[in-house]
Amino acid sequence: MYKWLKRGRVIVSLTITVLITLAFLFFSNRDNFFFSSLLKYQFIPALLGVFTGSAIILALLVLMSLLFGRLYCSTICPLGTLQDSVWRISSLFRSKKNRRFSFSKANNILRYSFLSVAAIPLLFGSSFVISLLDPYSNYGKISSEIISRSEQFIHNILSSVFPDTIFFRSYSQFIAISFFFALFFLLIVIFMSAFRGRLYCNSVCPVGTTLGFISKFSAFRPVINIDNCNKCKLCVSNCKSECIDIENGNIDISRCVTCFNCMTVCKRNAISYKLVWGIKSENEKRVVDGRREALLTMGLLGSFVAARAIGRKSSSIPHESENGIAPPGAISVKNLKSNCTACQACVSACPNGIIKPATGEYGFDGLLMPVLSFEKHFCGYDCNVCAQVCPNGALIPHSLEEKKLTQIGQVRFYKEKCIVVTDNTACGACDEHCPTKAITMVTYNDEGLTIPVVDRDICIGCGGCEYVCPAAEKAMIVEPRAVHKLADKPKVEKQEKVVVDEFGF
C-alpha cells in the first residue's frame, strides 16, 4: 500500500510543479488563467491573500496539515519537489554508501530564528524578508528568470531556423540583480538538497517550520513499532528529512514531510502511517506536548491574521511619493510592500513586458517587487492581466472598466523638451497614443504647428505618451502615484447629427 501512496505522491507533486512552472512561461500563460490560478494554493500567497479571497484555501492547507502532517511540503510545494529531484539525480552519481542519510538533531534555534526574522516584519507590514525565504516565491523567480528565459532563447533559435513559421520574441528587460538572486538561490538549494535532502525545508524555510508546528498535532503520522523493528536503519538511510531517531524509536514529526520513503523500504513493517488521535500509548506525553505547540501555532497564526487586518485598515493613508510606478491593482506602494513576495507571476504574464523587478525604486524594502517601466512599451489600455494572476492580494483583481480609470501615475509635460519647440517641427504622437484623450493639441505658433496640453485629472499614467515621445530627452514623463486614485472619466466628444436635405454633391 505504501508503494502506491508514494507513487501517487510523486505523480501529484511532479504534476503540480509542472503546472506551476507553466504559469511563468510565455507559450502557456497567455489567453487563460488556469495555470496562474494554481499559484493561490501555495501557503504564503494563501496567507497574504486571506482578505482577498484565499481564506478558504488557507483553511484547507491548515486542515490538510492537521490531518496528514507536512504533506504540503512533499506534494504542493514546487521547491520541495525540486529538492527531491535534485537529490534523486545526484544519487545517480554517487556510491550506494554515500547516498545514505543519517539521523540529525533538529536545529530549532536556527529554524525559529529564520521564522521570526520573516514573520515579524510581515506583521508590521513588510513582506521583504519573506519574499527572500518563501519557497514558492523563490521558485517563481527561478521559473521567471532562468526557465522562462531559457525557453525564450530556444524559441528564438527556432525562429531563426524557421522564420516563416515561428516569430521572434523580443527579450524582456534583463535585471541583473533579479537574475543573479534567482541563480544564487537555485545553486544554494541544489547544494543543500544534493547532500542533505530536505535541509532547506528543515532549517531555513519559514513555511516548513510553521507547518512543522501544526503537524505535531496531525491525525495521521508515521509511527515506529518497536516490537517489529530490528534497527537495521534502512528507514534512517532513506529519510531525506533526517528525522528518524531509531535508537529511541522516535520520529520528529515537525521535520517529517510525509514522503512515505521509510514505510516503503522497511522489510519488517515496523513503520506504519496510522491514526494517532485518541490512541493512548507510551508516546502520549509527546503527543500532548505536540498538541499544545500546534494549538499555540494556530493561535499565533490567527493573531497574525488579525494583526494584518488591523494594519490593512491603515494602508490607505497617503504618504510620501515613490520613484516607482506600481502596477494597476496595487492600490498603493505601501500595500504592495506589505503583500508582495516578488514571485514575478505578474512580470511573466505582462504581455507588453513592461513590468520588471524593482532595483531600488521603492527603496531597499521593495527590492525585486514589480515596477512599471515604459522604456520598451506601455501599459495596455484593454489589459488587466497582472492583477488577475497575482496570488498574494498584492494586486487586487479588478474589472477592465475599473482598470481604465485607475490612476497609477500622472504625466507631466516638459514643453522645453518637446520637438515642436526644439526642432520647430510638427509632432502629436503623444496625442495619438493617449487612450483617455488626456492630451490635446493646441495652436503653438503662426506656422500652423500645434503643441500638447495635458489634463492630468484624466491621465491614468499608462505611459503611452512617454513611450512614443520622439524627443531625445523625453518631454512626457509619467510621475508615479504612491497611492492610486480614480481618474476622471474621459470626456466624450459630442457628435452632432447633420441633416442633409439634398444630395451632397
Side-chain angles (χ1 to χ4, degrees), residues 415 420-422 424-425 442-452:
K415 183 177 179 181
V420 176
V421 176
T422 58
N424 198 38
T425 184
V442 298
T443 302
Y444 172 62
N445 59 19
D446 296 337
E447 299 176 13
L449 295 179
T450 56
I451 198 165

Side-chain angles (χ1 to χ4, degrees), residues 83-98:
Q83 293 174 80
D84 291 348
S85 302
V86 169
W87 165 255
R88 182 73 174 173
I89 294 172
S90 66
S91 298
L92 301 177
F93 302 96
R94 288 184 294 188
S95 65
K96 189 174 182 180
K97 180 180 179 181
N98 290 329

Side-chain angles (χ1 to χ4, degrees), residues 87-344:
W87 165 255
R88 182 73 174 173
I89 294 172
S90 66
S91 298
L92 301 177
F93 302 96
R94 288 184 294 188
S95 65
K96 189 174 182 180
K97 180 180 179 181
N98 290 329
R99 296 179 206 164
R100 296 172 182 167
F101 292 103
S102 59
F103 170 73
S104 64
K105 292 184 178 179
N107 194 336
N108 289 330
I109 294 178
L110 185 64
R111 298 171 72 191
Y112 303 153
S113 297
F114 274 112
L115 178 61
S116 301
V117 167
I120 293 175
L122 199 59
L123 194 61
F124 290 96
S126 174
S127 58
F128 174 63
V129 179
I130 195 68
S131 72
L132 304 179
L133 299 174
D134 175 39
Y136 151 70
S137 300
N138 283 305
Y139 186 82
K141 295 183 185 74
I142 293 170
S143 298
S144 176
E145 294 289 352
I146 299 175
I147 301 177
S148 178
R149 289 184 185 279
S150 300
E151 178 266 332
Q152 185 177 8
F153 181 69
I154 295 172
H155 175 100
N156 286 341
I157 289 178
L158 295 175
S159 174
S160 63
V161 178
F162 307 104
D164 296 333
T165 306
I166 302 176
F167 67 94
F168 180 86
R169 284 163 47 199
S170 298
Y171 288 101
S172 58
Q173 301 180 63
F174 179 78
I175 307 300
I177 188 173
S178 179
F179 175 82
F180 286 111
F181 177 83
L183 182 62
F184 173 75
F185 187 87
L186 176 62
L187 293 176
I188 289 291
V189 169
I190 289 177
F191 179 79
M192 296 176 79
S193 56
F195 291 94
R196 295 285 300 277
R198 290 298 189 108
L199 181 60
Y200 180 86
C201 296
N202 287 324
S203 60
V204 179
C205 181
V207 176
T209 303
T210 302
L211 295 182
F213 271 129
I214 299 175
S215 299
K216 289 184 176 182
F217 187 46
S218 61
F220 291 89
R221 63 180 64 182
V223 177
I224 299 175
N225 187 330
I226 302 296
D227 296 332
N228 292 348
C229 180
N230 62 353
K231 297 186 179 180
C232 68
K233 295 188 177 179
L234 198 55
C235 55
V236 177
S237 62
N238 284 276
C239 178
K240 53 196 173 190
S241 295
E242 300 180 334
C243 64
I244 301 178
D245 181 7
I246 201 68
E247 298 298 333
N248 296 310
N250 182 40
I251 297 177
D252 185 353
I253 299 301
S254 71
R255 290 189 290 156
C256 173
V257 295
T258 321
C259 66
F260 302 112
N261 278 1
C262 55
M263 288 154 271
T264 304
V265 299
C266 183
K267 298 177 180 178
R268 297 174 61 89
N269 295 323
I271 301 183
S272 56
Y273 188 65
K274 57 192 294 185
L275 178 67
V276 297
W277 280 2
I279 299 177
K280 295 183 178 180
S281 68
E282 57 184 10
N283 295 327
E284 183 180 12
K285 184 178 182 304
R286 285 199 292 267
V287 173
V288 172
D289 290 343
R291 183 182 306 169
R292 290 171 180 167
E293 293 181 11
L295 291 174
L296 177 62
T297 302
M298 287 186 287
L300 292 174
L301 202 59
S303 302
F304 173 83
V305 173
R308 295 271 301 175
I310 296 172
R312 188 179 176 82
K313 289 183 179 179
S314 63
S315 63
S316 60
I317 299 175
H319 59 124
E320 72 276 6
S321 179
E322 303 282 351
N323 294 322
I325 302 174
I331 300 178
S332 67
V333 173
K334 183 179 180 180
N335 178 69
L336 188 73
K337 288 183 178 181
S338 180
N339 295 284
C340 178
T341 58
C343 69
Q344 298 197 12

Side-chain angles (χ1 to χ4, degrees), residues 1-21:
M1 180 186 73
Y2 295 125
K3 288 184 179 179
W4 287 106
L5 285 175
K6 179 182 176 181
R7 289 170 184 171
R9 180 194 63 76
V10 171
I11 291 172
V12 170
S13 62
L14 289 175
T15 302
I16 290 176
T17 300
V18 170
L19 294 178
I20 287 177
T21 306

